[in-house]
Amino acid sequence: MHVSEIEVSLDTRSYPIVIGQGLLKDQALFERLIRGKKVVIVTNETVAPLYLAELESTLSNFDLLSFQLPDGEQYKSLEYFEKLNSFLLENNCGRDITLVALGGGVVGDLVGFVAACYQRGVDFVQVPTTLLAQVDSSVGGKTAVNHPLGKNMIGAFKQPQAVVIDTQTLSTLPAREFAAGMAEVLKYGIVFDRSFWQSLIDDKSLITALDEKSLVTVIKRCCQIKAEIVAADETEKGARALLNLGHTFGHAIEAEQGYGVWLHGEAVAAGMVIAAKVAELRGYLSEDDYQEIVNTIASYDLPTKKPESMQTADFVKHMKRDKKVQNSVMRFIIPTEIGHCEIMDDLTAQELELVLK
Ligand code: NAD
Ligand code: MG
């Protein structure tokens, strides 16, 4: 079995990320990672029938409860934040409780936020079951719920006690969700690591066939990159912003189309192509690198074009609202070569118009 362990170094809040196939069954691992005796597994109605019984049996030496959410981004809400808190209170959970988030980024973000707030903070362990959650949302301690006026608008930085990634769970993930996660994987290559990027091209058929060794290698590299960035810039004051490549345009697409019509990863994929095009038109990125970005994104069944209906003004409107806007300057990330990105803050609407054509 291929098992890897990485550490996220944050002084007293450091924690391990453990990656391997079949880890949901690893009793000794969970008993090493969880400090208390009492555990609440939180999952959703889609993931529960697939993996809850297995994890419950692994955690059978703990005083164990479980809580299920409906499936969907709309339940990452204050309403379900309250429901989970009520469940914990009704079951007399104290500060020694450990919450275990079993699911995708929706479950992880909500559980993390509850863990940050319940009795001023309790332990939580991330057990991400989507590719996106395994390479991105479960690592780094950003937690949040949505507000009717904006996505992720209420939240906290709260690092987990551990992240346990069982690559086996990806076998049941719908292909479209897998591809969406690959957008974030490709992002790490474009922003930080050209040789990793090359391996995503070379090993494409192994990766999409869910070859165990390849998946562990890919997920591990993504977690390493994210762990390094988070250790250097926990609260996104500097380098962590580079992880937003494609996201400013991507958020505009997601919001304009209506959340859920385009998956986040799909919007980020198209957003990365737009950012690359801006860079190419400016002469910051070579034509070859631009073409390689487009071809590779397309090869993973991801979109490389904005939605037909969206015009420049639609992008500008959303980009001005984005959390990443600082002092009303449109600030975003562009690749200057595959493996390196920079912050750019002087994009004009005319230029965007040209790129979107
Ligand atoms: P998700 O949690 O909605 O999961 C996608 C779908 O896959 C859901 O229907 C889910 O029930 C299902 N699913 C999960 N695991 C499965 C499995 N193993 N087999 C079959 N089906 C499975 O979506 P996501 O893409 O994982 O996460 C998106 C969320 O993550 C968004 O709310 C986003 O804001 C958040 N996010 C947070 C961060 C962060 O740093 N905290 C980063 C990126 C994204
Ligand atoms: Mg993202």
Side-chain angles (χ1 to χ4, degrees):
M1 187 164 77
H2 306 273
V3 179
S4 281
E5 189 159 335
I6 299 165
E7 161 143 307
V8 183
S9 302
L10 290 163
D11 298 318
T12 55
R13 287 165 296 113
S14 298
Y15 57 94
I17 305 168
V18 190
I19 308 158
Q21 189 184 38
L23 294 183
L24 280 184
K25 290 195 174 64
D26 193 334
Q27 194 161 13
L29 174 68
F30 282 94
E31 290 180 3
R32 163 162 75 89
L33 297 174
I34 295 173
R35 293 194 286 194
K37 278 271 97 209
K38 213 170 163 175
V39 171
V40 176
I41 302 172
V42 184
T43 185
N44 76 15
E45 63 194 2
T46 303
V47 177
L50 296 169
Y51 302 111
L52 181 58
E54 193 177 332
L55 189 57
E56 279 176 338
S57 123
T58 303
L59 300 180
S60 58
N61 286 335
F62 292 91
D63 182 359
L64 195 62
L65 292 166
S66 71
F67 182 86
Q68 279 186 43
L69 300 158
D71 187 357
E73 180 75 38
Q74 68 270 38
Y75 305 107
K76 203 178 99 175
S77 63
L78 282 172
E79 185 189 346
Y80 279 84
F81 170 85
E82 184 174 344
K83 281 191 167 50
L84 178 51
N85 278 297
S86 302
F87 176 85
L88 299 176
L89 287 168
E90 283 156 13
N91 286 285
N92 301 314
C93 297
R95 295 199 59 191
D96 57 347
I97 192 80
T98 297
L99 305 181
V100 174
L102 173 68
V106 166
V107 171
D109 277 15
L110 174 74
V111 172
F113 187 46
V114 170
C117 298
Y118 185 70
Q119 301 194 358
R120 299 196 184 88
V122 296
D123 283 358
F124 87 114
V125 172
Q126 292 270 22
V127 184
T129 61
T130 64
L131 182 59
L132 180 127
Q134 295 181 350
V135 299
D136 189 0
S137 64
S138 68
V139 176
K142 279 195 196 175
T143 74
V145 295
N146 302 322
H147 186 279
L149 294 179
K151 205 167 171 282
N152 295 327
M153 281 297 142
I154 301 167
F157 284 98
K158 166 75 178 173
Q159 300 295 341
Q161 204 61 24
V163 182
V164 178
I165 299 175
D166 184 346
T167 53
Q168 180 81 60
T169 58
L170 299 178
S171 64
T172 53
L173 192 68
R176 192 177 165 201
E177 296 286 351
F178 185 84
M182 276 309 300
E184 301 283 2
V185 173
L186 292 163
K187 179 191 77 179
Y188 288 110
I190 299 173
V191 182
F192 299 102
D193 187 345
R194 183 156 206 152
S195 71
F196 176 56
W197 168 265
Q198 189 59 47
S199 76
L200 299 174
I201 296 174
D202 298 340
D203 300 341
K204 202 207 126 226
S205 48
L206 285 168
I207 294 167
T208 50
L210 307 185
D211 169 70
E212 181 199 350
K213 191 161 170 248
S214 307
L215 281 182
V216 172
T217 306
V218 166
I219 294 166
K220 180 181 176 186
R221 183 66 192 127
C222 296
C223 289
Q224 258 170 355
I225 294 173
K226 184 135 187 203
E228 266 174 45
I229 298 280
V230 168
D233 179 23
E234 189 180 7
T235 55
E236 198 170 320
K237 297 197 169 67
R240 193 165 176 175
L242 295 175
L243 291 172
N244 293 324
L245 172 68
H247 280 63
T248 306
F249 299 117
H251 287 154
I253 295 174
E254 279 182 279
E256 186 68 19
Q257 299 305 108
Y259 284 103
V261 178
W262 280 49
L263 295 180
H264 174 72
E266 294 168 342
V268 168
M272 291 194 294
V273 172
I274 298 173
K277 188 71 197 172
V278 170
E280 193 228 1
L281 282 182
R282 286 250 180 142
Y284 300 158
L285 178 72
S286 73
E287 237 181 278
D288 285 353
D289 274 7
Y290 170 73
Q291 211 48 60
E292 189 170 309
I293 288 172
V294 176
N295 294 344
T296 309
I297 287 176
S299 80
Y300 276 98
D301 291 327
L302 287 162
T304 56
K305 290 195 170 78
K306 70 168 176 70
E308 279 288 334
S309 60
M310 262 181 93
Q311 306 305 320
T312 310
D314 301 321
F315 278 92
V316 172
K317 175 179 77 190
H318 290 287
M319 288 165 69
K320 286 194 167 150
R321 252 185 239 151
D322 200 285
K323 279 205 291 304
K324 279 114 205 161
V325 173
Q326 289 197 342
N327 307 325
S328 82
V329 178
M330 283 199 280
R331 209 164 162 265
F332 68 106
I333 313 302
I334 51 162
T336 52
E337 59 183 293
I338 293 172
H340 187 80
C341 279
E342 283 174 21
I343 295 173
M344 177 179 163
D345 54 16
D346 59 349
L347 177 77
T348 64
Q350 290 103 305
E351 211 175 351
L352 188 57
E353 177 89 47
L354 203 66
V355 167
L356 293 176
K357 276 188 193 140

